[in-house]
Amino acid sequence: MDILKWLKQPEKEFPPHKELGHFNFGVCGQFIYEKSGLSQSTISNYLSQLQNVGLITPTRIGKWTYFQRNEENINAYLKEISRKL
């Protein structure tokens, strides 16, 4: 939940990656790891799970991977939850 919340307004939660200077491709995975205070393997696992269910989208640029929310899938998921609950 924290990762999805942070990615909602990345400019308020993270500095832009110095190689890009913007958030057009999302947030560098390294920044997510550093903010979380958790181990890199734990964050990698969380990011992989969020990606596998379609809630985030990765973009690889050079050696860095950037993550952003998949708003369409998040909204569909929320609608389905509210419909079933």
Side-chain angles (χ1 to χ4, degrees), residues 33 36 38-49:
Y33 155 67
S36 73
L38 301 172
S39 71
Q40 188 168 1
S41 62
T42 298
I43 290 302
S44 292
N45 185 36
Y46 289 164
L47 291 171
S48 185
Q49 289 177 25

Side-chain angles (χ1 to χ4, degrees), residues 44-58:
S44 292
N45 185 36
Y46 289 164
L47 291 171
S48 185
Q49 289 177 25
L50 289 169
Q51 181 182 341
N52 288 341
V53 297
L55 297 179
I56 63 172
T57 304

